[in-house]
Amino acid sequence: MKKKILLIIILVIFGIFLALEACGIYLSGRGNVSYKTESVKSLKNLNSKNTNLKKLISNLSPKGTYLVIDTAKNMLYVKKGEQTLKEVVVSTGSGSILNDPAGNRQWIFDTPRGELSVQSKTTNPVWTKPDWAFIEEGEEIPKSYKDRVEKDVLGDYAFHLGDGYMIHGTLYTRLLGRNVTHGCVRVGDADLEKLNKTVSIGTKVIIF
Amino acid sequence: MKILFSALLVIFLAVAARTDAIPQHSAGTKDEIDLLDAELKVAKKPVIYFIFNLKDKEILLKSRGILLKKMKIEDVKFWGRTVDAAPRAMLKKSALFKEPKRVNIDPNKDKEETSTDTATNTTPGAFEIEALELKDMPTTYRLEFHEGIFISISPKGTGFLSGLLKMASYTGWYVSRPILTIWNSIKGSPYTSIYLILNEEDARLVYWSLEEKSENIIYK
């Protein structure tokens, strides 16, 4: 008797589920569009349009050398077309958050994604510490500009990407390959030297 | 009773086989053009974008038409209305279990205890850093796109526990989809649900690189 009741319960649940499934199929199928087969002439036109679109997309890709930065693997690739010319281990943003205890400001230390470009290059760059660099250390924000300046921490070269983000050198070479920065991309000295010869103002930098 | 049960089971399996197939039709070239049209719209912007190519079972990460990463889809299940290849905003990503959490920097924390950002550390790789890394990304999560399109991602995984979690995730998806379809139909909202199985690393990478509000393309 108990077995029969259990079986009936299972069948009822099964039946309800089937009914729901059938309902779902009917409702979801209503929006589906059916296509007719194309004629040979219109197929030729479609193929031509296909080729044109591929060409238009291809024309959008960077001309010449460009950089691709993989923030997940902390790698930088120097590329030309489909070819990878060089692979470099870097450090990218930690993704950490810093809140200003004194106010409403918040900083999220991500390396920005998307396509950027090298806007300027500096040799022997000097770091002008922003407010977050003091807040992070629990220090007071200096009133004088000269108290913000720190030399010899950004390596021999810096490539500015806009909004304060840079590709630059680092003292912390043991941390290369890890997500440790405040958003900038850090490169080891030897690789930075080689990059400096390759990168120019306007070089595209794709970051993902 | 047994005959009824067997009949229901056969109907159920037939329905399951039909519903999971990706909708196909004959105008392949037209589809490709729609995909290229959609890609052209996104590629004109200085952004990265994903193409979820369900037809060829691959996920492409691209920018300006350049292929940055290609990931294989191990398996795909599709339910609901046909999706046209238009750029769509990814509205939200939500992990099934624990969401990765950003570290909140505490300026008052003792710097000697926690500092890893030091050039004098002599034991490479021996320290833990407080940061979001790829390994912190979930492998089982759901992506919500504009126009009621949901993509559930689950890892391929190996091992008993992994298999169990995958089965649980798939069962949850399977059972919920008709109910959500009916619910959304009552609300007058479209609903499409796609279930993808990727290898663990690719699943993490998609979560890592896919930003909310970014435009992406789903191509079937």
Side-chain angles (χ1 to χ4, degrees):
Chain A
M1 187 63 184
K2 278 184 183 172
K3 265 189 191 171
K4 211 172 180 179
I5 293 169
L6 185 63
L7 203 54
I8 290 168
I9 292 169
I10 290 171
L11 278 172
V12 166
I13 292 171
F14 215 30
I16 291 170
F17 181 73
L18 264 183
L20 284 171
E21 189 89 352
C23 246
I25 292 166
Y26 169 71
L27 290 168
S28 61
R30 282 186 311 174
N32 287 340
V33 179
S34 60
Y35 291 83
K36 59 181 192 316
T37 318
E38 299 293 339
S39 66
V40 173
K41 188 180 176 185
S42 61
L43 207 54
K44 271 188 183 167
N45 289 338
L46 288 175
N47 284 333
S48 168
K49 194 172 178 190
N50 189 311
T51 308
N52 283 339
L53 282 168
K54 282 180 180 166
K55 199 175 172 184
L56 284 170
I57 292 170
S58 169
N59 286 343
L60 293 171
S61 60
K63 309 291 172 268
T65 309
Y66 60 98
L67 307 182
V68 173
I69 298 171
D70 181 347
T71 60
K73 293 195 169 157
N74 290 292
M75 290 294 297
L76 180 152
Y77 305 95
V78 181
K79 299 198 80 155
K80 191 167 188 175
E82 307 260 312
Q83 206 188 351
T84 301
L85 304 174
K86 190 167 173 57
E87 294 185 14
V88 173
V89 179
V90 298
S91 289
T92 60
S94 67
S96 303
I97 298 176
L98 176 68
N99 291 301
D100 182 358
N104 296 328
R105 293 186 294 176
Q106 184 188 74
W107 294 271
I108 300 175
F109 298 128
D110 282 337
T111 299
R113 312 280 175 81
E115 185 199 70
L116 291 80
S117 60
V118 174
Q119 299 187 359
S120 60
K121 289 171 68 173
T122 312
T123 304
N124 296 324
V126 148
W127 189 31
T128 307
K129 289 171 70 170
D131 288 356
W132 57 253
F134 297 96
I135 293 168
E136 189 184 35
E137 298 293 323
E139 294 169 4
E140 238 184 77
I141 297 169
K143 291 188 173 41
S144 157
Y145 171 82
K146 65 174 171 37
D147 292 331
R148 290 179 180 265
V149 171
E150 213 168 285
K151 293 181 182 178
D152 302 323
V153 291
L154 299 182
D156 297 329
Y157 307 100
F159 316 135
H160 301 263
L161 304 177
D163 291 329
Y165 295 103
M166 297 180 269
I167 298 172
H168 61 72
T170 181
L171 299 173
Y172 310 121
T173 51
R174 290 188 185 279
L175 293 170
L176 287 170
R178 305 296 298 272
N179 295 88
V180 291
T181 79
H182 297 91
C184 288
V185 180
R186 293 183 196 164
V187 184
D189 290 339
D191 289 323
L192 189 64
E193 185 72 50
K194 289 173 190 161
L195 274 180
N196 187 51
K197 291 173 184 160
T198 314
V199 164
S200 52
I201 294 171
T203 296
K204 297 291 181 196
V205 182
I206 297 172
I207 307 175
F208 68 93
Chain B
M1 198 66 80
K2 280 182 187 172
I3 294 166
L4 180 60
F5 184 79
S6 307
L8 277 174
L9 186 63
V10 166
I11 294 167
F12 174 76
L13 289 171
V15 161
R18 179 244 177 268
T19 60
D20 291 342
I22 298 170
Q24 298 289 341
H25 41 72
S26 59
T29 308
K30 173 87 176 52
D31 271 353
E32 274 176 50
I33 286 170
D34 290 343
L35 172 61
L36 290 168
D37 246 335
E39 188 178 354
L40 183 62
K41 284 180 188 140
V42 191
K44 281 179 178 170
K45 302 174 192 173
V47 295
I48 56 167
Y49 54 92
F50 280 86
I51 298 177
F52 292 86
N53 187 336
L54 308 183
K55 184 183 162 207
D56 297 330
K57 286 194 176 179
E58 56 190 19
I59 299 175
L60 308 176
L61 173 57
K62 298 180 97 171
S63 179
R64 298 286 199 188
I66 302 165
L67 180 64
L68 301 172
K69 213 95 182 161
K70 188 181 197 176
M71 291 159 274
K72 184 184 165 193
I73 299 174
E74 301 286 343
D75 197 11
V76 54
K77 307 283 183 206
F78 188 98
W79 168 272
R81 300 191 178 197
T82 305
V83 174
D84 61 342
R88 274 184 185 82
M90 198 281 287
L91 303 173
K92 194 180 170 193
K93 52 187 180 183
S94 36
L96 181 63
F97 303 113
K98 207 171 148 199
E99 293 279 354
K101 255 191 129 178
R102 292 180 183 275
V103 172
N104 255 298
I105 298 171
D106 182 0
N108 300 318
K109 217 171 179 184
D110 185 349
K111 287 296 162 191
E112 278 212 21
E113 282 177 7
T114 60
S115 175
T116 58
D117 213 13
T118 167
T120 61
N121 190 315
T122 54
T123 319
F127 42 79
E128 277 298 309
I129 58 168
E130 290 186 333
L132 269 186
E133 297 187 283
L134 183 64
K135 62 177 172 64
D136 301 318
M137 299 298 109
T139 53
T140 307
Y141 52 89
R142 194 169 83 151
L143 306 169
E144 182 183 343
F145 290 82
H146 199 51
E147 290 170 23
I149 298 170
F150 294 85
I151 296 181
S152 298
I153 292 193
S154 194
K156 186 180 174 187
T158 50
F160 176 72
L161 187 62
S162 199
L164 208 62
L165 285 170
K166 199 174 88 185
M167 198 186 292
S169 167
Y170 181 68
T171 306
W173 176 78
Y174 199 85
V175 169
S176 65
R177 57 189 195 167
I179 300 166
L180 288 169
T181 303
I182 294 165
W183 172 247
N184 279 284
S185 195
I186 293 167
K187 285 199 308 181
S189 315
Y191 178 74
T192 302
S193 185
I194 302 164
Y195 187 87
L196 303 181
I197 296 179
L198 311 179
N199 79 40
E200 277 193 23
E201 193 181 306
D202 289 344
R204 289 189 213 280
L205 183 62
V206 171
Y207 193 95
W208 175 274
S209 300
L210 193 52
E211 292 194 310
E212 288 177 1
K213 294 177 192 164
S214 64
E215 280 192 313
N216 300 276
I217 300 163
I218 301 165
Y219 174 62
K220 52 78 185 109

